[in-house]
Amino acid sequence: MREELLRELLERVDRIRRKLKFQLIIVCGSVARGEYVENLSDIDLIIVDERFKEIDFWSRISSVIEYFDIGVPVDVLCFTPGEFINQLRRLNFFVLDAIEFGIPLPRGSAIYSKARRVLEELKKKHRLKPTTKGWRFHIKSECRE
């Protein structure tokens, strides 16, 4: 992806984040991995904000998507901070990727910093490793005879 296009897209998304006062937006997927193809790819976003606790999961998307008319298709997932960390602990691969490779807005977000710490703990606990096809992990069996 051209550096100037990436910068422009990030600026557009961050303007919306500031206007709507979202706690955190993570730009993830092909944009974050540097695999974005102009006129072919979409932009994947995870929005994290405490205000989502009053809105059911699927209604959240329709409540925010209209604001992201930024000239390219956008896919959005919306979580409260607690849900976001819970999805990470449940090894949701999309959320793992977002933390490992995503671009957080704002860059100094406390929620993102916490998620990075949790991811590092999970990497050690489950021997998590990103691969070209997803994530590799090992879960110890707690079964005893």
Side-chain angles (χ1 to χ4, degrees):
M1 170 182 246
R2 292 188 339 257
E3 198 63 34
E4 109 187 19
L5 177 59
L6 174 61
R7 187 174 28 259
E8 183 181 325
L9 290 172
L10 291 175
E11 286 174 7
R12 289 179 195 170
V13 170
D14 199 40
R15 267 196 306 275
I16 295 165
R17 182 196 60 79
R18 288 190 316 267
K19 178 181 179 182
L20 298 177
K21 298 179 173 54
F22 288 132
Q23 291 175 278
L24 172 66
I25 295 181
I26 302 174
V27 178
C28 41
S30 62
V31 171
R33 289 188 313 270
E35 299 168 355
Y36 179 86
V37 177
E38 200 168 354
N39 298 321
L40 186 59
S41 297
D42 63 0
I43 296 179
D44 297 302
L45 303 175
I46 292 179
I47 303 173
V48 182
D49 197 277
E50 195 63 47
R51 292 173 289 175
F52 291 132
K53 70 181 175 192
E54 303 299 325
I55 306 169
D56 79 83
F57 186 80
W58 297 110
S59 296
R60 296 170 186 180
I61 296 167
S62 60
S63 73
V64 302
I65 196 70
E66 69 187 72
Y67 297 102
F68 289 93
D69 184 12
I70 60 174
V72 294
V74 175
D75 280 334
V76 178
L77 284 177
C78 305
F79 298 104
T80 66
E83 291 168 342
F84 182 63
I85 297 298
N86 186 46
Q87 289 297 310
L88 183 57
R89 290 181 201 267
R90 294 181 70 196
L91 304 180
N92 177 314
F93 289 177
F94 188 74
V95 174
L96 289 170
D97 273 357
I99 298 303
E100 182 73 14
F101 304 109
I103 303 167
L105 300 170
R107 298 225 183 246
S109 164
I111 298 166
Y112 184 79
S113 295
K114 179 179 181 179
R116 286 289 318 168
R117 287 190 305 272
V118 170
L119 178 57
E120 292 308 313
E121 292 168 12
L122 292 169
K123 283 179 174 181
K124 290 176 187 170
K125 180 179 179 182
H126 300 298
R127 292 187 272 174
L128 271 172
K129 292 191 187 303
T131 70
T132 56
K133 296 181 181 181
W135 286 82
R136 189 181 68 198
F137 61 97
H138 175 76
I139 305 227
K140 291 181 182 178
S141 174
E142 298 294 324
C143 296
R144 297 179 190 213
E145 293 184 31

